Amino acid sequence: MNHFYIETYGCRMNICDSEVIVAILSKAGMKYVNSMSDADVIILNSCSVREDGHNKIYERLTEIRKNANLASKVIVVTGCFASLLTDKLFKQYDFVNIVVNPNCYRQLPDLLQQIRVGKDHLLKSLMDSDEMYGDILPQRVIEDRTTAAINVMKGCNQCCSYCIEPVTRGHEHCRDVESVLKECDDIVSLGYREITLVGHIIDKYHSIDSKSGKNIDFAELLKIVAERCPEQRIKFLSSHPLFFDERIAQIILSHPNIMRVVHLPVQSGANKVLRRMDRGYTKEQFVELIGRLRRVIPDLTIITDVMVGFCGESHEEFEETVDLVKSLQFDDINVFCFSMRSRTKAFKLYADDVDEEEKIKRAQTVKDLRDSIKYQKNKRFLGQRIGVIVESKDNLGRYYGRDLFHHSVYFTSDIPLAINDKVIALVKEVSCQGLIGNVYSI
């Protein structure tokens, strides 16, 4: 039982967690493999943010049950969803051996040893721990070769009415600056071109420098990381409109290696919906924030999230969201249909009363508007030369990369390129998906 495989679902934070699991099990003498068939242990690292995250795990477990060879292996469920599970899962899927939530990954080697000696159906879950795994260097076998992510904080104290994150991840806990910088140095040594700092509301990061005793907020951390790693692009996610400090924008502006992109989820353009969501700001306050950011960095890429079909969302309230999108002209939008989560305030107080077909229709309306805006914005790059880092190559020989503003660029080259090469691409076509061209110079 020495070979293990991990399948990761959900957000970037879960990818970071999977890399931590790889490091823990590798230190215990196990070996990571990249296919289920080669593994003795199969780990499903789950997500709980939306219902489809739960469904994907159940669907995967059902697929495994139908395959006698896979079902005979040691099956482990980890991740946020594991925080919500009880031993009832073992009755429904009796071939699952272990369930472990994100605070207990250090115990995985011991739990697997218990399986080796005949124990079964082990559930290990610890809620609201300050465990950040800051002393563990991820092995980076799952992430791509260009971007490496660092979890700098976890949990959330905001308790938006629809969100299960405070239950599954607990209250906010932050890593110390020293452990973050140690991981940055490791990422640089491995040749990555980009570092992504990750936190649920990363603007609320805070720590105390052990040497100086100085309070470190996120703006200061961003500055420290950018100056520590001057040859790497630095990105961060996600922010919250209530806590995004304009100092962060100033730090972005004053450091050429920090990507000109922020992720600021608005969720809705209707104040009544925002109140039911417990977001803590109004549409007008959000519009004012975007205006201030664009005055500091006029060409800043702004990505947002829109949730359609939240409890009680009327047609008029949805149209307010559409009007907001038209007004603010976001550079990209992640669009989600509301999914009711048990153990949230919304579950206790509201009804999931927007028809599913209507949710899908509203989501498509926002997606169509998003794509139209992106296409019109991308046309301004026609004929321009864009600095790009090569991230991948498809089967047709077309390369893909992103620029400093997080624009996707697809391009060809007469000269073979390597992953992480820096090139200048000449933009000849555009679509809502990105910029299209060929290499102008290397």
Side-chain angles (χ1 to χ4, degrees):
M1 200 165 69
N2 290 321
H3 296 82
F4 66 97
Y5 166 83
I6 299 182
E7 201 163 83
T8 308
Y9 299 81
C11 68
R12 198 62 190 249
M13 191 169 288
N14 261 18
I15 296 174
C16 292
D17 282 354
S18 288
E19 296 283 10
V20 166
I21 292 171
V22 171
I24 290 171
L25 295 183
S26 297
K27 185 177 180 180
M30 298 183 66
K31 182 180 179 181
Y32 171 79
V33 294
N34 57 16
S35 72
M36 280 190 175
S37 59
D38 295 331
D40 307 302
V41 177
I42 297 172
I43 300 171
L44 304 181
N45 195 11
S46 62
C47 176
S48 65
V49 174
R50 284 175 292 279
E51 186 176 5
D52 61 351
H54 296 195
N55 291 339
K56 287 177 182 177
I57 293 298
Y58 288 133
E59 290 168 3
R60 194 59 161 143
L61 290 175
T62 299
E63 291 172 0
I64 291 173
R65 178 160 52 194
K66 294 176 181 178
N67 186 318
N69 180 49
L70 294 180
S72 66
K73 299 175 185 288
V74 175
I75 308 298
V76 183
V77 177
T78 63
C80 301
F81 187 29
S83 296
L84 303 176
L85 293 173
T86 68
D87 56 9
K88 290 182 180 178
L89 182 77
F90 299 130
K91 297 176 182 178
Q92 187 177 1
Y93 300 96
D94 61 356
F95 58 91
V96 173
N97 306 101
I98 301 173
V99 173
V100 185
N101 88 333
N103 294 322
C104 301
Y105 294 152
R106 291 184 193 270
Q107 299 182 47
L108 273 169
D110 178 64
L111 293 169
L112 289 169
Q113 179 59 31
Q114 291 184 52
I115 297 296
R116 290 186 184 98
V117 299
K119 293 187 178 181
D120 200 4
H121 295 167
L122 306 177
L123 174 65
K124 198 68 180 178
S125 184
L126 179 63
M127 307 306 290
D128 202 22
S129 165
D130 61 357
E131 175 63 85
M132 290 294 299
Y133 304 104
D135 60 318
I136 296 176
L137 286 177
Q139 295 208 343
R140 311 289 175 189
V141 298
I142 298 171
E143 292 179 302
D144 61 40
R145 292 160 55 192
T146 300
T147 304
I150 303 175
N151 276 346
V152 302
M153 63 179 295
K154 68 171 185 177
C156 183
N157 295 346
Q158 286 310 108
C159 296
C160 297
S161 66
Y162 55 83
C163 186
I164 195 68
E165 189 86 3
V167 176
T168 59
R169 290 280 183 175
H171 291 96
E172 293 164 359
H173 297 282
C174 302
R175 285 176 61 175
D176 61 86
V177 177
E178 291 79 8
S179 73
V180 173
L181 292 180
K182 182 179 179 181
E183 194 165 336
C184 285
D185 292 343
D186 185 63
I187 289 169
V188 171
S189 73
L190 293 172
Y192 283 88
R193 289 287 198 178
E194 183 177 309
I195 297 172
T196 302
L197 305 177
V198 179
H200 188 65
I201 302 181
I202 200 164
D203 325 279
K204 295 182 72 178
Y205 174 88
H206 61 88
S207 183
I208 298 176
D209 188 295
S210 61
K211 296 179 180 178
S212 66
K214 178 182 177 182
N215 287 314
I216 306 294
D217 62 7
F218 180 65
E220 184 66 19
L221 177 69
L222 184 62
K223 177 178 181 290
I224 291 170
V225 171
E227 294 175 359
R228 179 78 162 230
C229 310
E231 299 303 317
Q232 278 65 40
R233 295 191 309 202
I234 311 300
K235 189 177 73 169
F236 60 91
L237 54 93
S238 288
S239 292
H240 191 292
L242 268 182
F243 304 102
F244 192 91
D245 188 336
E246 283 185 51
R247 289 176 51 245
I248 298 173
Q250 294 292 347
I251 295 297
I252 295 172
L253 187 64
S254 62
H255 291 77
N257 63 325
I258 301 180
M259 294 182 70
R260 269 54 175 169
V261 56
V262 297
H263 178 215
L264 277 168
V266 65
Q267 303 300 1
S268 175
N271 284 334
K272 289 182 179 180
V273 175
L274 290 172
R275 282 197 295 271
R276 293 197 296 274
M277 289 179 169
D278 287 336
R279 289 293 288 171
Y281 55 84
T282 65
K283 171 180 63 177
E284 291 76 17
Q285 289 171 326
F286 185 87
V287 170
E288 182 184 357
L289 171 62
I290 298 301
R292 293 200 306 270
L293 292 180
R294 284 175 169 163
R295 283 192 290 274
V296 176
I297 310 176
D299 51 2
L300 180 68
T301 295
I302 299 177
I303 301 172
T304 196
D305 293 353
V306 167
M307 181 187 296
V308 301
F310 184 68
C311 307
E313 183 186 62
S314 66
H315 289 283
E316 292 76 16
E317 288 168 338
F318 171 66
E319 286 302 324
E320 289 187 64
T321 298
V322 171
D323 290 342
L324 182 71
V325 171
K326 290 178 179 177
S327 172
L328 292 182
Q329 296 282 296
F330 298 106
D331 296 277
D332 205 353
I333 305 175
N334 302 310
V335 186
F336 306 102
C337 294
F338 170 66
S339 173
M340 182 68 86
R341 316 302 314 127
S342 62
R343 300 174 67 179
T344 62
K345 182 178 177 181
F347 182 79
K348 298 173 184 177
L349 296 182
Y350 307 128
D352 186 5
D353 54 1
V354 179
D355 182 79
E356 290 300 319
E357 289 186 8
E358 180 63 24
K359 289 180 184 178
I360 294 171
K361 180 181 176 182
R362 293 179 186 182
Q364 192 59 51
T365 297
V366 179
K367 290 176 181 178
D368 290 344
L369 178 57
R370 171 199 65 192
D371 291 348
S372 175
I373 293 170
K374 288 176 67 175
Y375 176 66
Q376 292 300 321
K377 285 197 164 197
N378 285 343
K379 286 199 295 186
R380 73 188 188 275
F381 294 105
L382 283 169
Q384 291 195 23
R385 299 164 189 172
I386 306 291
V388 183
I389 293 176
V390 179
E391 298 184 40
S392 64
K393 182 180 181 182
D394 63 23
N395 293 331
L396 299 177
R398 189 173 68 166
Y399 294 94
Y400 167 79
R402 288 167 298 124
D403 68 357
L404 189 67
F405 296 85
H406 204 261
H407 300 126
S408 293
V409 186
Y410 304 87
F411 54 96
T412 57
S413 174
D414 295 331
I415 302 172
L417 302 173
I419 301 301
N420 288 338
D421 279 350
K422 292 183 178 180
V423 302
I424 304 296
L426 176 64
V427 180
K428 294 186 173 182
E429 302 175 48
V430 300
S431 73
C432 64
Q433 300 299 321
L435 315 177
I436 305 164
N438 59 267
V439 169
Y440 179 82
S441 64
I442 299 176

